[in-house]
Structures are given as C-alpha cells and as structure tokens.
Amino acid sequence: MPRRTSATCLPLVLTLGLVMSVGATAVPAAATTNETGVTVYLKAPNLRALRELAATHGLSHAQRMARLRKLLPTPAQHRSAEAALRRAGLTVTDETAWSVTATGPDAGVRGAFGSHPQTRARASAAQRRAANGPYPSMPASLRGVATAAYPTAGSPRMFHHNVSGGLLIGSDFRNANASPARTATGQAPYSGSDPAATLTIATLQFAGWNAGDLTTWANTSDIGVPGFNAATGLTTVPIGPLTSLPAPDPKDDGDIEVDLDQEALLSTDPYAHQRAYFANNDADGYLNAVAQVLDDVTGDSFAYQGGDRHIVALSTSWGLCEFDSGSTFINDLEPILAGLQAAGVTIFASSGDDGIYDGCSASGANVDYPASSPEVVAVGGTKLAPVGSSAPNDGSNWTETAWSCSSVSDCGDLNTGGGSGGGVSAGFSRPDYQGVVSGGTFGSTTMRMVPDIAADADTDTGFPGYSSDPSDGAGYYVFGGTSLAAPVSAALFTNALAAHAVTSGVGEIHSALYSAYAGSDSSFRDVTSGTNGAAADAGSDPSVSAAIGYDTVTGLGAPMWADIVDRVLNPLVAPKATASLSFAHLHSSSPYQISARWTGTAATGGLAVDNATVRITRAGHSGSVYSAQNAPASGSHSFTAQPGSTYTLSVTARDLAGTTSSTRTTKIVVPIDDKDFSVFGGWKDRKSAGSVGGSITQTAHRGASAIARGKGKTYSLAVRTGPSYGKLVVTEAGRKLKTIDLYARHAATKRVTLLQAASATSRTFDFVCIGKKSKASSSTAVDVDAMYVAY
C-alpha cells in the first residue's frame, strides 16, 4: 500500500490501505437500457502448436507472424460468429483476433444467451463468480466456433490490484539485478524520436487515470526521468465500450495502480515505449484487453492505430484469486495468453500481496490468477536493501529477503504487513519447465508452483511515485507490493533484451529461467529467509518459508537479467533424441511384431533428460497407436502391426528445465506376407530363412495367379531372382502394369516397384506366372515373398 509523504521530502507520515479483495467494493448497478453488449470468444484452432511456437526462439518478427497466423481463430470462425450474432438481431460493433462484440436489444441477447446474473458485492462467492462469468447458454450456431460469451458492461468489479507502500528507483533495480544500461550513457529517455529505442512494454489497467501524473513524476528532481515526453513516450489504448482514457474515480483508488506501473516502468527502463490498455474491471474487459495486445503486436486489421510490433513484454498487476476466477474464464483466457507468447510477448504478473491466502473468499492457501497460469512469469516479492556503497553490483552489495508475513491477519493487513503471494495451483498441472524443482519439499508436487521469480515489494523498501488520486489527494507516495515487482521485472527484462539490439520479442522464457537455476550458476540471487504465512494454514502447499533453491515464497529468487536474456537468445544446446522402428521377428512366423525404441541424451554441458514425448501413428488412420507425454527418457514399446501399413514414430526429448530436442521421426513399412496372398493354380509354400515370415510361395504352373490387396501410394513386390526362374505378369484392375523377368545369373531377393500414385487408394494386384521361358532360362518357376505398400 502507499505511504503518504510530503511533496518535498519522503519521511513517512500516514499509511493508507488500498488493496481490495474480490467483491469487497460495491458498484452501482448498470442503468437499465434497451441495448446490451455481448462479446463472443472464439476457439483456438491448435493450442498445442501455439505453445510450441511460444517456446521457439531465433525467429524474426516476420517468421513468427507467418506461423502465428495459421494458429489464431480463422476468418471462417469470425464469419460464422458474425452471422450467428446478426441472426440473433444483434449488430457487430468490434472485433479482435480472438473475439467478436455485438450490441442489440436486451430481449434479443437474453433470447440467444440467457439471463446473466448481475449480483453485487454482498453476494456469496459462487454468485460473484457467476456475475463475473459468461452468459449461461450459447446458441447452437456458435458452439462449433466459440467457447463463451460475456456481457460487455454491468458486471461487478472483478480484479484487485496488488499495491502496497523505502526508497529505491530504477537505477537501483538495474544495479541490483545486473541489467545493463539499454543504450550509451547520456542518451535521452524515450520521447518518440529515438529510432534505437524500439522496444515497448504493455500494461493492463482497470481504473481511471490522470496521464499527467507520469509527466509530473518524470520531472521530479532526483528520482524522476527529466526529458520524458508523455505525449509520444506513452500510448493509451481504450478497450471495448471505452472510447478514451477514463478519468480517475474519487471512490476508487485504482488509478494509484496505474501510476505505480507506468512510473516504475519509466524509472527502470526509461528508453522503452509504454502502451497502457484500459478496460472495464470485469471478465470481458480483461479478456478483451489481452486480445487487443495480441492484435497490436501482430498488426492485424483489428490493431489499435496500426498496432506496435515492438511489444516485447506485458505486465499486469491486477489479478483474482484462482479459486474465485472460475474455470470458464480461465479456459477462455489461456489460449489468448498462449497466443501472446507465440507472438513474442513475455507476460509478467504479480503473485499477490496476501501471502499464501491471497485474500480469497475460500479459507486456507490459495494462489492468484493469472500469475498461476503456466503461460505467465509469476513475480513474488522481496525486501531489497543495499549494502555499503552504490557501486555496480558485484554480488555482495545487495541483500534480499522475502517480503514476509506470518499469519492470516499479518498477511492480509496491508497497513501493517502483507507478504509475497505464492503456493501451489489447484487448477494447473506442474509444467515441464518446473521439472528441475525436484526432491525434498517439492518432490511429490504435481501442480504448478507460484511464483517463478521475485523482485522488490516490501513496504519499507518501495518505490517513490506521484499520484493525483482524488480519493486520497495528490502527492508523493512510496509504493510497494508485487504490483511493483511485476513492472520492474518486465522493465529489467526489456532493458536486457535491448542490450542485444533486438527489435521484437522472444515469448516464452520459463525454460531459460529454470535451466539457469538448474545449472547452479550466478543467474539468480537466492532468497533464503522469510515466510509468507503460517505452516498450519498451508494445507497441501509444500512450504511457507524461503529456503535455499526454489521455494513458493520467492520462486527461483531475483534474476540477473543479463544472464537470463543471454540464455534466451543463446540457449544451451538442446538435448538430442533418437527414434527407431524395427521388426522384432521379420523372418519368423510372426513377421508383424514391431519394436519401437527411443533415447534422450543430454547436451554437452546441459541438463539431464527428464522424459520424452512419444507418439506412434498409422498412416491413413486417425488417433495414435501409442502416445505418452511423459514417457521415460529412454524406452521401448512393442505392438502388432497391420500388414500393408506404414507407421511413424515421433520422439521429443525434454531436459529437466523443459528444453526440448528437435523432434525425431522414423517410419516403417510393414509388408504383406505371401501367406496372406490369395493363390490359385498350384502354388506351394516353401521355407526360406531370409524371407518375410520365414517362407516364400512358389509355382511353375503357367496361369497360376496370386492376389494381394493394399492401400497406399507406392507398391513394390519382393521376389526371388536367379538362373532357374522365369517371368511374372502383374495386373491391376484388369490393366497390365508390367512383366517381371526373374532370371539372373546369381540368386538374390529383389524389390520391384509396381506402381507409384499421387494419392493413397485401395488397389488389388494379380501376379500371374505366364509360363513363358526366358531367353537365358528354360524354367517357368516364380517365387513371391511379400508386397510392400507405403504411404
């Protein structure tokens, strides 16, 4: 929470409580009108591919966008949603890549989507979740293309901000976290005219704001950034029903959150452009704001004022207890977050200011959302303090302990306490990148752990900022809380990225964070003391104490961002994978037994391989013959194949930090043994040790035929050749394909291609002994072993 100070000096004279729990503030009901707004959110075509793209580095912006376009909701989905809304009597008013918004008569909306609850603050937790959630029904015409529909206005306030409130500014944070200066010493802060300052940091905001506060703070002696031009260094983006930047609300102190975000960003990375997204404080506002950031970085037709392809980080200090978020809202937001990462945007979210309790309507330990999302870098809180001089960080001139609290009352009272949010998610499984956190306290944890990292948040070592907040009066404050930690982390990350002269983002960085931790290098300042609750209240949470290594108070610790970004841009060599498919007993009476084998090998100097993703598929058939997301790093699987089929084995190895190998694939074509041919006219089976199934079928009778059927693109026949063989005619659908002369000076087995087609089609082949002697041989004998059909 902020602590009020005078305008000329910073001694603390008054403490003001600002953090609001969900639904704690009543909001007047929306005026009844004949018009209602509704936003429909579209389905993700391929969420898995989005996440894979997010973790792919080394792409240019153009390459990333080209891949991303194929993974976002399609134009056909948009057209279907638009048509369905119009059939319901609504008018389409706005769209993002992920949503379609329409307005229309109340009766039309209710008829299509049902009646939406508009429960107010005194309602139960379940009622509040319903009031902030989607409409109860979805027209049949939308179910195939959309996931849910939300009201655009009228819901109660949903998200709380994580502000608390000493005195550390951006240069201190850059020093303490070893983040390099973005550009040469002496360069002016971003004013819109510096071509080198191309990177942008976005924030999500759900309150009114006086943008003049940023200019006032920038011109503050000693702590500001004189020369900053707010008119060109800041872009404000109104979302949904908003058409301009909302003014501060005298009954709401949310504008202090905005002041903290934008001023902390400017102080920590004065060379970055800022882009602040303002939306209504409800589910639709949050979803639409995130979707708009995606539109702007992709520069699609829905982008605001042409968008900004240089957005590399998004910071949000507004969250909601995971318990109170509701599965529908989370399921709708997750694909959009994944899309943002795939577009190259790294997302930072504050982990909360109420310790393990998170101010939830449920008792016991809870975590904050979206910090608990595996797509987000969750930022916890510490107490950062200098030691001795302010010389550049040498590893010993800063100390850091957890931002601590020890009970429900201590953690929840931001006037006197508060502490780093953290714990174990109840809704998200443990992501692969947290595989390095093993053994000891966390060995049996199967769910996502929060936070990932931490930064300064303690009310005694906060950030001096300015606010003209009408609810508390204009003046200078000292801000703290994880609302400080999140934007500071985003700014330090952006600053370190810019040192490499990149012009677009890298997306997912969890793997780099956790591989740096597992590498036991100097990439983090480990935080080993402090608590964020009482052990008796922790429930299934592993710990409430900061300790050596990872903990659910401060995560991995405080990152040294230059090292982390070096690791992102120049990753360790990924692990390697091998894959093989082979016949277990091709020359026995069981030729169709297949053995799949794979291995995962650590890169030189890299981490041990933890597991592998393995999938076996049969060409021309949906689904998998075998599939395992967490198969052993090296293993095998045996199965009985269908004759005349093609099988593919795909293997991706994953190390302890979640770094994946390139996917290795291999194929095997399973023959149709001669025993499975239909024969006519005096054929005989003969044992043959080196043949498929341990036998061949043989005839010397003119006109004797053998029939084999298969579906594929390439067909070939395995036959015996030698000095005592004659000729074989091959026909398909009554059409002669070729005559095979089996005579050869020396005995051998030969594969003869019968047919190659552009598409896979079922075909029947007839092999006929024509009884015509070869010029070099008086024999009419033919031996047939097997037919191979490949896709």
Side-chain angles (χ1 to χ4, degrees):
M1 69 188 53
R3 293 185 178 178
R4 183 72 176 275
T5 66
S6 71
T8 57
C9 59
L10 296 168
L12 307 180
V13 295
L14 180 64
T15 299
L16 302 174
L18 291 175
V19 173
M20 298 172 289
S21 60
V22 179
T25 303
V27 179
T32 301
T33 68
N34 292 325
E35 292 288 309
T36 297
V38 59
T39 301
V40 171
Y41 288 90
L42 306 176
K43 291 183 177 180
N46 192 333
L47 182 56
R48 179 178 179 180
L50 269 180
R51 288 171 173 155
E52 290 175 351
L53 177 58
T56 302
H57 298 146
L59 300 176
S60 68
H61 182 75
Q63 290 170 327
R64 190 176 286 277
M65 294 304 105
R67 296 188 188 187
L68 179 61
R69 290 187 196 101
K70 301 175 183 178
L71 305 176
L72 297 177
T74 65
Q77 285 178 273
H78 278 267
R79 290 193 296 270
S80 294
E82 293 163 2
L85 290 167
R86 292 188 182 108
R87 285 195 295 272
L90 308 181
T91 301
V92 175
T93 59
D94 192 21
E95 297 190 50
T96 71
W98 226 281
S99 65
V100 181
T101 298
T103 60
D106 293 342
V109 173
R110 287 196 303 272
F113 299 98
S115 297
H116 189 272
Q118 298 294 334
T119 312
R120 287 298 177 255
R122 294 182 181 276
S124 68
Q127 290 172 321
R128 284 202 303 275
R129 286 197 296 274
N132 279 305
Y135 280 97
S137 61
M138 180 80 79
S141 56
L142 280 170
R143 290 172 194 159
V145 297
T147 58
Y150 292 81
T152 60
S155 297
R157 181 173 292 124
M158 184 172 184
F159 303 96
H160 58 253
H161 53 78
N162 296 306
V163 179
S164 312
L167 307 176
L168 299 175
I169 59 175
S171 58
D172 297 313
F173 300 136
R174 290 194 298 273
N175 185 319
N177 292 82
S179 187
R182 175 167 185 171
T183 53
T185 302
Q187 182 173 343
Y190 186 78
S191 63
S193 60
D194 176 13
T198 56
L199 302 190
T200 299
I201 306 171
T203 61
L204 303 182
Q205 306 297 353
F206 303 95
W209 185 51
N210 178 5
D213 288 358
L214 187 59
T215 300
T216 300
W217 181 88
N219 292 321
T220 301
S221 176
D222 297 329
I223 63 172
V225 182
F228 175 74
N229 186 343
T232 52
L234 166 74
T235 300
T236 57
V237 183
I239 302 297
L242 301 179
T243 57
S244 61
L245 175 65
D249 183 349
K251 298 179 181 180
D252 175 24
D253 57 11
D255 55 318
I256 292 182
E257 170 63 55
V258 191
D259 284 318
L260 168 56
D261 281 351
Q262 309 312 137
E263 292 168 15
L265 289 176
L266 177 58
S267 182
T268 307
D269 189 354
Y271 308 108
H273 183 73
Q274 297 187 20
R275 200 169 177 93
Y277 293 76
F278 288 83
N280 286 337
N281 191 342
D282 55 26
D284 179 65
Y286 207 111
L287 291 162
N288 235 339
V290 179
Q292 188 63 55
V293 180
L294 178 60
D295 286 333
D296 289 358
V297 74
T298 60
D300 63 21
S301 59
F302 309 117
Y304 180 78
Q305 296 181 353
D308 185 344
R309 56 164 289 187
H310 304 298
I311 300 172
V312 299
L314 170 65
S315 175
T316 175
S317 297
W318 299 77
L320 181 67
C321 174
E322 187 183 75
F323 175 82
D324 291 327
S325 298
S327 60
T328 300
F329 171 71
I330 290 176
N331 291 339
D332 288 334
L333 182 58
E334 284 299 298
I336 309 178
L337 295 176
L340 260 186
Q341 281 204 114
V345 179
T346 304
I347 308 163
F348 296 84
S350 61
S351 68
D353 290 354
D354 298 277
I356 63 169
Y357 311 101
D358 202 48
C360 295
S361 59
S363 60
N366 292 278
V367 293
D368 209 62
Y369 182 78
S372 64
S373 167
E375 314 294 336
V376 168
V377 178
V379 187
T382 68
K383 181 176 182 177
L384 177 67
V387 178
S389 71
S390 59
N393 182 16
D394 62 6
S396 64
N397 56 340
W398 291 91
T399 63
E400 208 154 6
T401 58
W403 180 33
S404 292
C405 59
S406 57
S407 66
V408 175
S409 58
D410 184 26
C411 295
D413 187 350
L414 275 299
N415 289 305
T416 60
S420 177
V424 176
S425 169
F428 293 102
S429 298
R430 180 168 170 156
D432 290 334
Y433 54 75
Q434 287 192 322
V436 298
V437 182
S438 59
T441 302
F442 302 102
S444 61
T445 303
T446 60
M447 305 302 285
R448 158 81 161 135
M449 294 176 287
V450 178
D452 296 304
I453 60 173
D456 187 43
D458 192 278
T459 54
D460 293 330
T461 60
F463 171 78
Y466 175 82
S467 178
S468 60
D469 170 47
S471 65
D472 295 310
Y476 289 83
Y477 295 78
V478 176
F479 297 124
T482 54
S483 274
L484 171 62
V488 163
S489 297
L492 290 172
F493 165 72
T494 304
N495 182 285
L497 264 186
H500 290 268
V502 300
T503 58
S504 59
V506 297
E508 203 278 334
I509 65 169
H510 290 98
S511 294
L513 289 168
Y514 283 85
S515 65
Y517 157 83
S520 301
D521 58 19
S522 58
S523 297
F524 292 92
R525 181 169 45 251
D526 197 3
V527 181
T528 59
S529 63
T531 61
N532 66 346
D537 298 326
S540 60
D541 279 10
S543 176
V544 295
S545 299
I548 295 173
Y550 181 89
D551 54 73
T552 51
V553 184
T554 61
L556 300 168
M560 302 298 107
W561 282 106
D563 290 347
I564 299 301
V565 168
D566 284 345
R567 189 177 290 267
V568 171
L569 298 176
N570 302 288
L572 291 173
V573 178
K576 296 180 179 180
T578 65
S580 69
L581 286 171
S582 61
F583 294 102
H585 312 288
L586 181 62
H587 305 307
S588 75
S589 59
S590 303
Y592 304 138
Q593 288 298 115
I594 307 297
S595 178
R597 290 184 173 85
W598 62 90
T599 61
T601 307
T604 302
L607 301 176
V609 176
D610 184 42
N611 56 49
T613 298
V614 180
R615 188 166 185 246
I616 302 173
T617 57
R618 179 185 174 193
H621 292 75
S622 60
S624 301
V625 176
Y626 174 77
S627 180
Q629 292 290 327
N630 294 291
S634 296
S636 63
H637 175 74
S638 296
F639 64 98
T640 301
Q642 293 298 311
S645 298
T646 301
Y647 291 86
T648 300
L649 168 65
S650 301
V651 179
T652 306
R654 186 180 298 103
D655 69 18
L656 286 168
T659 304
T660 56
S661 69
S662 57
T663 300
R664 296 295 181 186
T665 61
T666 187
K667 293 184 178 182
I668 192 168
V669 178
V670 181
I672 302 172
D673 186 28
D674 62 88
K675 291 188 179 70
D676 292 320
F677 288 15
S678 298
V679 295
F680 306 91
W683 293 83
K684 294 181 180 180
D685 286 335
R686 184 168 63 86
K687 291 184 178 180
S688 176
S691 300
V692 175
S695 68
I696 57 175
T697 188
Q698 182 182 63
T699 188
H701 294 277
R702 186 169 57 183
S705 68
I707 296 174
R709 300 173 180 84
K711 181 179 181 180
K713 297 180 180 178
T714 301
Y715 300 82
S716 60
L717 184 67
V719 293
R720 285 295 184 90
T721 61
S724 60
Y725 290 101
K727 293 183 179 181
L728 190 68
V729 170
V730 182
T731 64
E732 189 264 325
R735 177 173 61 97
K736 180 180 177 180
L737 295 179
K738 62 176 56 183
T739 299
I740 306 172
D741 189 346
L742 303 179
Y743 171 80
R745 293 183 63 186
H746 303 287
T749 298
K750 182 178 180 180
R751 290 266 291 271
V752 180
T753 299
L754 305 178
L755 179 69
Q756 291 180 312
S759 59
T761 307
S762 295
R763 299 177 186 273
T764 300
F765 295 87
D766 196 356
F767 312 109
V768 182
C769 174
I770 62 174
K772 188 175 182 180
K773 297 179 181 180
S774 169
K775 290 181 180 180
S777 172
S778 61
S779 175
T780 59
V782 293
D783 286 357
V784 178
D785 184 13
M787 185 172 76
Y788 290 80
V789 183
Y791 261 74

